[in-house]
C-alpha cells in the first residue's frame, strides 16, 4: 500500500446484496485509481468514497457540532448510554459481521434495543419465513439449473446491476449455457428496464400482489378461477403462467420491496413463499429475496446466532425479546420510547417517517458513519469510521447467505478507526463508568 | 503464574487408561493432567462423587447456516426458553436451537467440553466458524460435506482416487474442517432437480456415479490421507421404512477395506436408518439386525441419534428427506440447496409417545445402545436437535443405566409399538464406566483426539465431577430422576485447567479451540491439482477460489491436527 500501483483481484464489492467478488481494483498512493468488472454503483463508490467524509470526531456544544478528541467522544457516548434507560442501537447493514457482534454485546450490556435496517425493507420477508419457511438455494444453483426465472416487484437492472449476468438470466451454468435456455417473467406495477428484457411481462395493479399470487396458487393447484381477471391480469394469462411454473425443470422467484413494502407486506411474502412451497410438489422451485445492503443478511445472521432473533431485539428485560411492530426502530421512535440512540452506518433521519425522525432528533444521538449524512448533522456525538471493504476488512453475507471477506484495499485517513474499534472502546468505557458508579 | 488444581478422593472413571471407579486424586497444572500438584493448588473435595473426563459429543448441530436458519424459522422455540444475563454469562434463548452463548453454557453445565458440528456446507463454512467462535467454553470442530460434491463425484466417476484425495486434503485445509462427512451420497445432488434416489447402485443423474462408488471412494480417500476420524456417513434412504438394509449394505460396502480392528466407517444417528418393515403400518425395529452386524464386524462404529419425546427442530443436509418430512407433517419447511456441494432442510417436529412410529423410533435407539456389545463403537447422541435437544442427554443416560427408567417410559408409549419392540425384554443396564466410554472416551478415540476423553499424563484438563456416589448405584437405578439431575448439573466442570462450572453455575466462560486437520499431500501433486481446479472453479462456483478459502487467522483459537498423507 505504498507509492507503487498495485492491483487487487477477486475483490468483494460492498454495495448491494449481490456481493460480487470478481472486482479488480487498482490502488496507487493509497487511493483507488481504477476499477474493473464492477457495475456503475460499485465503480462510483470505489472511486468516490473519499467525498463528503467526516475527518474527525465531533461533539455538539452550545448547539453546534465541533471537533473533539476521540477520547472525549468515546467518553461522551458512554455517558449518554449510561444515563439512558432504553437506548436504541440501529443500522448495522453497511458494516461487517464482526462489528455487529460487538454491537449486540453493547446492546445487551446497556439493556437497550437493537435493530437493523431489515425492519424497513425485508422485515416482512422474515415474518413470512417464520410462518411458512422458505424453499431456497444459493445463487449458483440458479445459475446452473434454472430454466425459469421470475423477478417480482424488483428491478435488478438498476438495484442489483450484475444479478442477471452473474447469477441468473445471462449467466452460463453447467446445465443452462445461454439466455435462450432460460425464460424470464417479470411482474411489476410498471414496465421497468428489467421488464423490457422479459419473455413475459405481467403488469399487476398496484397493491394487488397478494390477490395475484393467491390466484396463481389456485391455478397451480388446478382450482378453477371464477373471475375474469385478478389484479388486472386476465385469468387466461394466470393459467398460462401457472402452467409455465409447473412445467419448468427448475424455477427461481426473486422478489423485492414491491412485495414487502406494499400493502399486505408480510402477507404478500407469505403468499409468495407458499406458492413456491406448493410448486415443489410438482417441480423444483426456489425463492430468494433481493436483499439491498451488502451486509443486511450478515446483520440478520449475527443477531440470530447471538440472540435467536434476526432484528428488532429488546434487551431491556435482561434477555432477548422480539416482537417486530413493537420492538422495531420506527415503532419505538414513533411512540417515543427511546431516550437515546446509537446509529451505526445508516441514515435514518433521511429515511424514517416524520414522527419517528422528530423523536430521534430530540433525544441524545450518537452516530458512527464514514460520511456526512443528515443523521450525522443531527447528532450530539459523531465518530468518523473506516469503510468496510475499502479501508478495513470484515465478513459480509451475500443475499443467499454465502459469507465472504471484504478486504482492506487502502489505509483509512489518519486517526479514522473501524466500527469495531469504536464500538469496543465505547463498550469498554461504558463498563468502566458503570463499575465506578458514575 | 501456574494454575493448579487437585481433585481429591473422587471415584474416577477413565476407561482409556483402564481405571474403572477407583478412588484416586487427579492433578491439573497449566491446563494439563499431571502426576502431582504443589500445596498451593486449588483443592476440590470429590469424595463421594464421580470424576470423569469432560464429555465429547461427536455429532451435534450447533453452528452454521442451517442451524441459524432453524433459529430464524422458529421464534416460538425461543420464547419458551430464555436465559437472563448474569454477571458471568450473556443472555440467550432457545429450547431446541439455542443461541451460541447458551449452547456453550448448557454443554458445560452438563460436564461436556468438546463438541463437533457434523455437517457444514463447504461454501458456507466461514459462517460455521463464525458461530463456533461465538460459542464459549467448549472445544469444537466441524465436518465439511463431501458426498454430493461435483469435484468428488467427477474424480470418482473417472476412477481418480488419488486426485480425489488430494482435493479432499486441500478442501479440509482450505475450510479448516476436521473429517469427511457424507450425507445421502448422490441423493442431495438429485434433489437439486427435485428428484429422489433410492438405491446404493442407482446412478446419480448427470454424474454417472453411484452412492456405493462415492462411499467406497471417500473411504479410500480417508485412508490415503490418514485422517484421524473415519468417514462419517448419514446413509441413503434415511427415514424410510425398511432402511435398515441400506444401513447394513452401506457398512458392508467398505468391509473389504477394513484395516485391523479400527473402525473405517462411522454410521451416524443410526436410529433414523434402523427401520424394518415395508410401510409405516408395519414399521419395526431393525436394531437387532444392525447390532448383530456391528457386533460381528469391527470396521464399523455408530452413534445413536436417540429421540426424546417432545418438540424439536429437525435439520439435516439431507434436503430430500426434510421435504418428505414436511409433506408428512405439513409443518413449515426450509430448504437450502448449496451450489456444487450439498443441500439442507429444516422442519419442526414433535415426537409423541402415543404415535406408533415415534414410539418405535424411541425403542430403536435404546435397543441399539443395549444390543451392541462393545461400548467403544457406539456413542451417545441425540443428533441434536434432530432426535431432541442435547440438554436431554441425562435422560438418555438414565434410560441406559436404569431398567426402571425405561419401564416407566415404556408404560406410557403406544401399546402396539411396545408389543413389537425387543426393548422390554432387554435387561442390560449400563455401568458408569460404560457411560464414561460412550460419552467421552470412545468418541474422543474415534475422533483421534489423543488428549481428550482420558486422564493420562499430559491430557487436556477437561474434567467433569458429578454428584453420584458409586456405592449408591442400586438406589440410583431405582430413582432415575436423581441420576438425571446429577448428569444434568455437574458439580464441577473444568475446561483446560480452569473451573468453569460449579454446582451447575457458570463461573467463567473462556473460549475453546477449533480443531482442524491438515493432511499434507506432496507439494507437486497439490499444485497440479490446484491448477486443474482453479480453471474450473469460477465455472462451478459463484465465488472465486481466493474468497472460498479460510485463513487460519480467521479462527479465534485454531488447533491444527497434522496427519501424514500417503500420496
Amino acid at each position: 500500500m505504498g507509492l507503487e500501483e498495485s492491483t487487487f483481484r477477486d475483490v468483494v464489492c460492498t454495495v448491494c446484496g449481490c456481493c460480487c467478488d470478481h472486482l479488480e481494483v487498482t490502488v496507487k498512493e493509497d487511493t483507488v485509481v481504477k476499477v474493473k468488472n464492477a457495475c456503475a454503483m460499485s465503480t462510483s463508490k470505489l472511486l468516490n468514497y473519499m467525498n463528503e467524509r467526516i475527518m474527525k470526531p465531533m461533539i455538539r456544544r452550545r448547539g453546534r457540532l465541533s471537533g473533539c478528541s476521540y477520547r472525549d467522544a468515546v467518553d461522551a457516548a458512554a455517558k449518554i448510554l449510561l444515563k439512558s434507560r432504553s437506548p436504541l442501537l440501529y443500522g448495522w447493514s453497511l458494516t461487517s459481521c464482526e462489528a455487529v457482534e460487538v454491537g449486540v454485546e453493547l446492546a445487551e450490556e446497556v439493556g437497550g434495543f437493537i435493530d437493523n435496517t431489515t425492519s424497513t425493507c425485508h422485515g416482512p420477508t422474515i415474518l413470512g419465513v417464520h410462518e411458512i419457511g422458505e424453499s431456497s438455494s444459493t445463487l449458483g444453483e440458479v445459475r446452473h439449473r434454472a430454466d425459469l426465472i421470475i423477478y417480482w416487484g424488483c428491478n435488478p437492472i438498476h438495484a442489483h446491476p450484475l444479478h442477471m449476468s452473474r447469477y441468473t438470466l445471462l449467466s452460463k451454468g453447467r446445465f443452462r449455457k445461454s439466455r435462450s435456455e432460460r425464460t424470464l417473467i417479470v411482474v411489476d406495477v410498471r414496465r421497468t428496464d428489467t421488464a423490457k428484457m422479459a419473455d413475459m411481462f405481467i403488469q399487476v395493479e398496484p397493491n394487488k400482489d397478494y390477490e395475484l399470487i393467491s390466484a396463481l396458487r389456485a391455478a397451480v393447484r388446478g382450482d378453477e378461477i371464477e373471475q375474469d381477471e385478478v389484479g388486472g391480469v386476465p385469468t387466461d394469462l394466470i393459467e398460462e403462467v401457472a402452467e409455465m411454473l409447473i412445467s419448468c425443470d427448475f424455477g427461481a422467484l426473486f422478489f423485492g420491496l414491491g412485495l414487502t413494502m406494499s400493502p399486505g407486506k408480510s402477507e404478500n411474502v407469505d403468499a409468495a413463499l407458499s406458492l413456491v412451497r406448493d410448486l415443489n410438489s410438482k417441480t423444483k422451485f426456489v425463492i430468494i429475496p433481493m436483499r439491498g445492503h451488502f451486509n443486511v443478511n450478515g446483520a440478520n445472521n449475527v443477531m440470530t446466532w447471538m440472540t435467536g432473533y434476526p432484528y428488532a431485539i429488546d434487551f431491556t428485560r435482561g434477555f432477548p425479546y422480539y416482537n417486530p411492530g413493537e420492538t422495531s426502530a420506527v415503532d419505538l421512535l414513533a411512540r417515543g420510547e427511546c431516550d437515546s440512540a446509537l446509529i451505526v452506518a445508516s441514515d435514518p433521519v433521511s429515511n424514517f417517517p416524520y414522527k419517528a425522525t422528530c423523536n430521534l432528533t430530540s433525544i441524545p444521538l450518537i452516530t458512527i458513519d464514514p460520511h456526512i449524512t443528515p443523521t450525522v448533522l443531527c447528532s450530539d456525538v459523531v465518530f468518523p469510521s473506516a469503510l468496510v471493504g475499502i479501508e478495513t476488512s470484515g465478513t459480509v453475507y451475500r443475499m443467499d447467505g454465502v459469507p465472504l471477506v471484504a478486504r482492506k484495499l487502502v489505509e483509512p485517513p489518519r486517526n479514522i478507526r473501524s466500527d469495531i474499534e469504536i464500538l469496543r472502546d465505547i463498550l469498554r468505557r461504558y463498563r468502566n463508568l458503570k463499575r465506578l458508579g458514575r | 503464574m501456574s494454575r493448579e488444581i487437585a481433585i481429591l478422593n473422587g471415584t474416577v472413571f477413565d476407561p482409556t487408561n483402564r481405571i474403572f471407579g477407583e478412588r484416586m486424586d487427579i492433578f491439573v497444572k497449566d491446563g494439563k493432567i499431571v502426576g502431582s500438584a504443589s500445596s498451593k493448588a486449588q483443592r476440590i473435595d470429590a469424595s463421594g462423587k464421580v470424576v470423569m473426563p469432560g464429555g465429547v459429543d461427536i455429532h451435534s448441530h450447533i453452528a452454521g447456516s442451517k442451524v441459524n436458519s432453524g433459529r430464524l424459522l422458529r421464534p416460538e422455540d425461543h420464547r419458551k426458553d430464555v436465559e437472563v444475563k448474569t454477571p458471568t454469562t450473556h443472555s440467550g434463548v432457545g429450547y431446541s436451537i439455542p443461541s451460541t452463548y447458551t449452547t456453550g453454557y448448557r454443554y458445560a453445565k452438563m460436564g461436556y467440553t468438546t463438541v463437533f458440528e457434523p455437517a457444514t456446507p463447504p461454501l458456507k463454512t466461514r459462517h460455521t466458524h463464525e458461530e463456533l467462535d461465538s460459542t464459549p467454553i467448549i472445544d469444537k470442530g466441524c465436518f465439511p460435506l463431501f458426498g454430493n460434491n461435483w469435484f468428488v463425484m467427477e474424480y470418482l466417476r473417472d476412477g481418480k482416487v488419488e486426485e480425489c484425495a488430494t482435493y479432499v486434503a486441500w478442501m479440509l485445509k482450505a475450510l479448516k474442517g476436521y473429517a469427511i462427512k457424507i450425507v445421502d451420497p448422490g441423493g442431495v445432488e438429485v434433489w437439486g432437480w427435485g428428484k429422489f434416489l433410492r438405491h446404493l447402485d442407482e446412478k446419480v443423474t448427470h454424474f454417472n456415479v453411484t452412492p456405493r462408488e462415492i462411499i467406497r471412494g471417500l473411504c479410500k480417500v480417508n485412508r490415503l490421507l490418514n485422517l484421524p476420524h473415519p468417514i462419517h456417513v448419514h446413509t441413503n434412504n434415511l427415514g424410510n421404512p425398511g432402511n435398515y438394509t441400506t444401513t447394513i449394505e452401506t457398512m458392508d460396502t467398505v468391509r473389504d477395506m477394513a484395516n485391523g480392528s479400527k473402525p473405517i466407517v462411522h454410521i451416524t444417528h443410526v436410529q433414523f436408518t434402523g427401520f424394518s418393515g415395508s410401510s409405516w403400518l408395519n414399521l419395526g425395529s431393525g436394531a437387532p439386525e444392525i447390532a448383530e452386524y456391528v457386533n460381528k464386524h469391527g470396521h464399523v462404529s455408530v452413534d445413536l441419534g436417540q429421540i426424546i419425546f417432545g418438540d424439536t427442530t429437525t435439520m439435516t443436509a439431507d434436503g430430500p428427506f426434510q421435504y418428505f418430512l414436511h409433506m408428512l407433517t405439513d409443518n413449515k419447511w426450509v430448504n437450502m440447496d448449496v451450489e456444487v456441494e450439498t443441500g439442507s432442510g429444516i422442519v419442526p417436529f414433535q415426537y409423541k409417545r402415543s404415535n406408533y412410529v415415534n414410539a418405535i423410533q424411541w425403542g430403536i435407539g435404546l435397543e441399539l445402545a443395549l444390543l451392541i456389545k462393545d461400548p467403544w463403537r457406539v456413542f451417545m447422541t441425540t443428533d441434536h436437535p434432530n432426535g431432541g435437544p442435547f440438554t436431554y442427554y441425562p435422560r438418555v443416560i438414565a434410560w441406559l443405566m436404569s431398567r426402571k427408567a425405561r419401564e416407566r417410559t415404556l408404560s406410557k408409549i403406544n401399546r402396539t409399538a411396545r408389543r413389537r419392540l425387543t426393548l422390554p425384554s432387554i435387561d442390560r443396564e449400563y455401568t458408569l464406566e460404560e457411560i464414561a466410554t460412550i460419552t467421552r472416551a470412545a468418541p474422543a478415540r474415534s475422533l483421534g483426539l489423543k488428549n481428550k476423553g482420558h486422564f493420562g499424563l499430559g491430557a487436556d484438563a477437561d474434567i467433569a465431577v458429578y454428584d453420584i456416589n458409586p456405592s449408591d448405584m442400586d438406589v440410583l437405578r431405582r430413582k432415575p430422576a436423581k441420576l438425571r439431575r446429577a448428569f444434568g448439573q455437574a458439580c464441577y466442570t473444568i475446561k483446560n485447567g480452569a473451573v468453569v462450572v460449579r454446582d451447575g453455575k457458570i463461573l467463567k466462560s473462556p473460549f475453546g479451540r477449533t480443531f482442524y486437520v491438515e493432511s499434507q499431500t506432496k507439494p507437486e501433486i497439490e499444485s497440479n491439482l490446484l491448477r486443474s481446479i482453479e480453471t474450473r472453479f469460477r465455472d462451478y462456483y459463484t465465488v472465486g477460489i481466493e474468497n472460498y478459502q479460510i485463513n487460519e487467522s480467521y479462527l479465534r483459537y485454531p488447533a491444527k491436527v497434522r496427519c501424514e498423507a500417503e500420496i
Side-chain angles (χ1 to χ4, degrees), chain B residues 185-457:
Chain B
V188 184
E189 164 54 33
V190 174
W191 171 245
W193 299 107
K195 305 275 192 301
F196 299 91
L197 191 144
R198 293 272 176 237
H199 307 289
L200 273 177
D201 296 311
E202 202 173 321
K203 292 258 194 245
V204 181
T205 327
H206 298 295
F207 288 89
N208 201 26
V209 66
T210 65
R212 190 187 299 279
E213 287 161 351
I214 296 172
I215 296 164
R216 283 185 61 84
L218 286 172
C219 192
K220 276 183 208 151
V221 163
N222 210 77
R223 204 172 60 194
L224 284 173
L225 298 180
N226 276 319
L227 298 181
H229 183 51
I231 51 169
H232 197 101
V233 184
H234 159 141
T235 69
N236 300 90
N237 266 333
L238 184 132
N240 288 331
N243 61 13
Y244 86 93
T245 54
T246 311
T247 305
I248 292 177
E249 223 182 319
T250 305
M251 299 191 280
D252 207 51
T253 194
V254 295
R255 179 164 49 99
D256 59 316
M257 289 183 234
N259 186 8
S261 61
K262 205 172 159 241
I264 56 164
V265 58
H266 177 77
I267 305 288
T268 190
H269 43 69
V270 66
Q271 171 274 129
F272 288 105
T273 51
F275 303 169
S276 67
S278 57
S279 76
W280 294 115
L281 293 176
N282 65 2
L283 187 89
S285 165
E289 288 83 355
I290 292 176
E292 194 191 344
Y293 188 92
V294 174
N295 286 337
K296 280 188 187 152
H297 299 90
H299 72 282
V300 192
S301 64
V302 301
D303 68 82
L304 295 181
Q306 176 61 37
I307 70 155
I308 308 294
F309 295 116
D311 180 69
T312 194
T313 312
T314 66
M315 53 177 69
T316 73
D318 195 344
F321 164 69
Q322 294 291 156
Y323 176 69
F324 164 76
L325 205 59
H326 156 64
M327 294 304 277
L328 195 73
T329 58
D330 209 20
N331 289 345
K332 55 189 177 183
W333 164 60
V334 166
N335 180 71
M336 174 49 86
D337 295 343
V338 178
E339 63 208 56
V340 189
E341 296 168 346
T342 181
S344 68
I346 305 161
V347 178
F349 196 84
Q350 197 162 23
Y351 294 105
K352 294 181 182 149
R353 287 189 298 229
S354 56
N355 178 294
Y356 171 70
V357 173
N358 299 160
I360 291 279
Q361 284 185 280
W362 174 79
I364 294 173
L366 293 177
E367 284 180 9
L368 280 160
L370 295 164
L371 293 173
I372 294 174
K373 289 177 189 146
D374 180 4
W376 287 94
R377 289 190 292 122
V378 54
F379 318 134
M380 192 192 78
T381 67
T382 59
D383 185 16
H384 163 83
N386 286 299
F390 66 81
T391 42
Y392 281 88
Y393 284 176
R395 191 168 292 255
V396 182
I397 293 175
W399 282 326
L400 294 176
M401 292 192 76
S402 154
R403 206 180 156 180
K404 177 146 190 195
R406 296 201 291 271
E407 278 167 357
R408 271 195 197 156
T409 310
L410 268 169
S411 70
K412 295 179 204 155
I413 66 167
N414 179 289
R415 273 189 299 177
T416 319
R418 187 164 65 224
R419 222 173 34 242
R420 291 191 187 166
L421 283 168
T422 317
L423 189 63
S425 67
I426 302 176
D427 293 330
R428 181 175 171 194
E429 289 180 322
Y430 266 63
T431 60
L432 280 168
E433 64 247 25
E434 284 172 329
I435 292 294
T437 308
I438 65 166
T439 57
R440 36 270 280 166
R445 181 183 286 181
S446 173
L447 287 163
L449 294 169
K450 296 198 169 62
N451 291 328
K452 299 276 182 204
H454 70 96
F455 288 142
L457 295 184

Side-chain angles (χ1 to χ4, degrees), chain A residues 126-188:
Chain A
I126 288 174
L127 298 182
V129 172
H130 293 332
E131 291 296 316
I132 307 294
E134 64 178 335
S135 166
S136 195
S137 74
T138 62
L139 293 164
E141 283 288 281
V142 178
R143 189 181 102 186
H144 289 303
R145 300 182 206 259
D147 54 347
L148 178 69
I149 291 150
I150 306 172
Y151 285 110
W152 195 309
C154 55
N155 188 7
I157 290 218
H158 294 295
H160 299 85
L162 299 188
H163 196 263
M164 286 180 154
S165 58
R166 273 175 60 81
Y167 308 123
T168 66
L169 189 71
L170 307 171
S171 66
K172 188 178 164 203
R174 182 176 186 132
F175 308 109
R176 311 283 170 208
K177 303 286 185 208
S178 65
R179 166 73 178 90
S180 62
E181 290 178 61
R182 308 189 202 257
T183 306
L184 174 66
I185 301 176
V186 172
V187 187
D188 213 313

Side-chain angles (χ1 to χ4, degrees), chain B residues 81-92:
Chain B
D81 194 356
V82 300
E83 296 275 357
V84 178
K85 178 175 160 40
T86 72
T88 54
T89 61
H90 288 285
S91 60

Side-chain angles (χ1 to χ4, degrees), chain A residues 56-268:
Chain A
K56 55 179 188 256
M58 293 182 282
I59 295 184
R60 189 171 296 278
R61 293 194 185 96
R62 287 189 292 277
R64 287 176 65 100
L65 274 177
S66 55
C68 67
S69 72
Y70 176 70
R71 226 179 122 169
D72 286 351
V74 169
D75 190 59
K79 280 179 179 154
I80 289 175
L81 293 171
L82 199 64
K83 268 190 204 151
S84 111
R85 291 170 58 91
S86 51
L88 166 69
L89 283 66
Y90 178 80
W92 309 109
S93 304
L94 294 175
T95 187
S96 65
C97 290
E98 290 82 353
V100 180
E101 212 160 353
V102 186
V104 175
E105 202 175 332
L106 180 62
E108 187 197 37
E109 184 70 35
V110 303
F113 302 93
I114 186 163
D115 192 8
N116 58 60
T117 58
T118 303
S119 66
T120 57
C121 62
H122 274 280
T125 303
I126 288 174
L127 298 182
V129 172
H130 293 332
E131 291 296 316
I132 307 294
E134 64 178 335
S135 166
S136 195
S137 74
T138 62
L139 293 164
E141 283 288 281
V142 178
R143 189 181 102 186
H144 289 303
R145 300 182 206 259
D147 54 347
L148 178 69
I149 291 150
I150 306 172
Y151 285 110
W152 195 309
C154 55
N155 188 7
I157 290 218
H158 294 295
H160 299 85
L162 299 188
H163 196 263
M164 286 180 154
S165 58
R166 273 175 60 81
Y167 308 123
T168 66
L169 189 71
L170 307 171
S171 66
K172 188 178 164 203
R174 182 176 186 132
F175 308 109
R176 311 283 170 208
K177 303 286 185 208
S178 65
R179 166 73 178 90
S180 62
E181 290 178 61
R182 308 189 202 257
T183 306
L184 174 66
I185 301 176
V186 172
V187 187
D188 213 313
V189 292
R190 66 181 75 82
R191 187 176 282 276
T192 60
D193 283 337
T194 305
K196 288 173 191 158
M197 297 183 66
D199 299 292
M200 180 185 273
F201 169 56
I202 298 166
Q203 190 157 7
V204 59
E205 278 175 20
N207 308 333
K208 294 286 184 197
D209 299 298
Y210 181 84
E211 287 82 346
L212 183 58
I213 300 173
S214 302
L216 262 175
R217 279 187 72 194
V220 164
R221 278 173 24 184
D223 293 347
E224 200 176 322
I225 301 169
E226 289 174 6
Q227 281 79 4
D228 295 334
E229 57 159 60
V230 179
V233 183
T235 302
D236 290 347
L237 185 60
I238 293 173
E239 280 166 356
E240 188 189 331
V241 173
E243 189 49 43
M244 288 167 77
L245 300 187
I246 292 169
S247 56
C248 75
D249 288 335
F250 186 112
L253 194 162
F254 296 92
F255 66 97
L257 300 196
L259 217 51
T260 66
M261 283 294 147
S262 59
K265 290 195 162 187
S266 64
E267 295 302 315
N268 297 340

Side-chain angles (χ1 to χ4, degrees), chain A residues 10 21-22 97 101 105 108-109 129-141 143-145 166-167 174-176 250 277 280-281 284 301 304-310 315 318-320 322 395 397-398 400-405, chain B residues 68 71-73 75 78-79 82-85 90-93 99-101 123-124 126-127 130-131 134 150 154 189 191-194 206-207 323 326-327 332-340 538-544 546-547 554:
Chain A
D10 291 338
D21 77 326
H22 67 315
C97 290
E101 212 160 353
E105 202 175 332
E108 187 197 37
E109 184 70 35
V129 172
H130 293 332
E131 291 296 316
I132 307 294
E134 64 178 335
S135 166
S136 195
S137 74
T138 62
L139 293 164
E141 283 288 281
R143 189 181 102 186
H144 289 303
R145 300 182 206 259
R166 273 175 60 81
Y167 308 123
R174 182 176 186 132
F175 308 109
R176 311 283 170 208
F250 186 112
R277 180 197 58 196
N280 274 284
S281 63
K284 181 82 184 186
N301 267 297
T304 305
W305 77 60
M306 291 183 80
T307 72
Y309 306 115
F315 277 112
F319 61 86
Y322 168 73
T395 311
Y397 282 54
R398 207 165 71 180
D400 57 350
V402 172
L404 293 158
V405 171
Chain B
N68 221 29
R71 292 188 189 107
L72 188 138
L73 179 69
H78 315 330
R79 294 209 165 99
V82 300
E83 296 275 357
V84 178
K85 178 175 160 40
H90 288 285
S91 60
V93 295
S99 49
T100 46
Y101 286 121
L123 182 59
K124 295 186 171 182
R126 194 180 292 280
H127 179 163
E130 280 209 279
E131 284 196 30
S134 171
W150 289 2
E154 285 165 351
E189 164 54 33
W191 171 245
W193 299 107
H206 298 295
F207 288 89
Y323 176 69
H326 156 64
M327 294 304 277
K332 55 189 177 183
W333 164 60
V334 166
N335 180 71
M336 174 49 86
D337 295 343
V338 178
E339 63 208 56
V340 189
R538 279 270 178 206
D539 291 339
Y540 281 16
Y541 286 101
T542 51
V543 302
E546 276 301 313
N547 292 319
Y554 196 79

